Amino acid sequence: MDWLVPLADLDYGAEEETAVRDVLHSRWLTMGGVTQEFENEFAQFTGARHAIAVSNATVALHLAMLALGIGPGDEVIAPSLTFVATTNAVLYAGADVRFADIVGPCDLTIAPAEIEKQITPRTRAIVVMHYGGYAGRMDAILDIAARHKLAVIEDAAHAPGAKFDGRALGTLGDVGCFSFFSNKNLSTGEGGMLVTGRDDLAAKVRLLRSHGMTTLTWDRHQGHAHSYDVTALGYNYRIDELRSALGRAQLAKLEKGNARRREITARYWDALEGIGLELPFRGAFRGAGGSPAASACHLFPVLLPPDADRAAFMDGLRAAGIQTSIHYPPIHCFSYYRERYPGVALPLTEAVAAREVTLPLYPTMSDAQVEMVIAAVRAGGPVVRNHRLNEVETR
Ligand SMILES: *Cc1c(COP(=O)(O)O)cnc(C)c1O
């Protein structure tokens, strides 16, 4: 479809083209010097001690599990209102997932009190997903983790450039995982980054990223080594120089892009108030991690009234040329997970997921496009307008 306003769009220009051309001219395509520079710049940007570039965020999450020694017999607590990769990574490692519910309609991140309910003697780690780029309840979660000696893994796929108490999301727990998939705030097509402050984890991740080999092809090319040993069962989870070059160009634009995302979010919040929608994260723990000032504003979620016809609402926007999406169908409701973990019930996750619609949000969105979305949502017709607004708003 040719959308007037797509859900997301790349912020690509001459910088990206030059970056890729330079790599092509260098005649070195696989992981090497450009990747090292990308890692150094990302480490500096986030304040992380180690930043390790990988093929995508899914493998970053897998490596996080492996580096933490999580495996068969272990349990990892995770949200269900997230992309399926968040918990697939737990299963790749041979461990089991324990799903925990979200805080509620105003905060779609995992609830500390629900995490505590899922802790068993087998629990090893908590995964926090910073939904839409808004910080999870890190104070409480880090406190729970410390009391129960659990690791904290941050799925920061939505959150490059976001902060909590002045610290970059992804750097608060033991490991943070970022995605550079096309529709993320920083895009390289496929790509990801794992950050950690722990030297032991960084060493394991570097080893497992490349087959468990003690030296890289790049090291040998540079004359630093002639051979290698294999000291662990590793993988090929490397990134390449073309993507790292795109990543460097995109990192240079990230702050500006995030600022524009915050501006659009603030405009949406003002313009979409009082029409029967709930606006998650608006005013939720303002001044702490959840204010738009600290968010990477990756997504703009709205919640329709509980009995609204979501398909009709989305069809109405599509007819106006506006693309929308749903974040997310809960993981525990997918066939595979239902069979594997029958009987999981997460009332808040299920209720919110049934009402959620994600509106377009990307840095190159024009003011006219933002107003087009606002007008279409406000006209959103029978679906939203006919609801008794007060009932929704005073709940
Ligand atoms: C995109 C995404 C991932 C997976 O990222 P890839 O780089 O595509 O593997 C994981 N978790 C969340 C929350 C995501 O949005």
Side-chain angles (χ1 to χ4, degrees), residues 56-59 61 78-90 92 97 99 108 127-132 155-158 179 181 183-184 190 298-299 325-332 334 337 349:
N56 55 65
T58 307
V59 305
L61 288 161
S80 177
L81 194 68
T82 177
F83 184 58
V84 69
T86 308
T87 58
N88 279 355
V90 176
Y92 299 159
V97 182
F99 289 105
L108 311 185
V127 183
V128 183
M129 198 282 270
H130 302 297
Y131 185 109
D155 180 339
H158 297 183
S179 172
F181 187 68
N183 60 11
K184 302 288 160 71
E190 300 279 0
H298 171 59
L299 298 176
S325 183
I326 295 168
H327 291 91
Y328 289 90
I331 296 175
H332 73 282
F334 289 132
Y337 276 88
T349 294

Side-chain angles (χ1 to χ4, degrees), residues 351-371:
V352 158
R355 299 167 54 200
E356 198 273 342
V357 176
T358 303
L359 302 182
L361 177 59
Y362 50 93
T364 57
M365 208 175 163
S366 69
D367 287 342
Q369 284 174 312
V370 175
E371 297 310 316

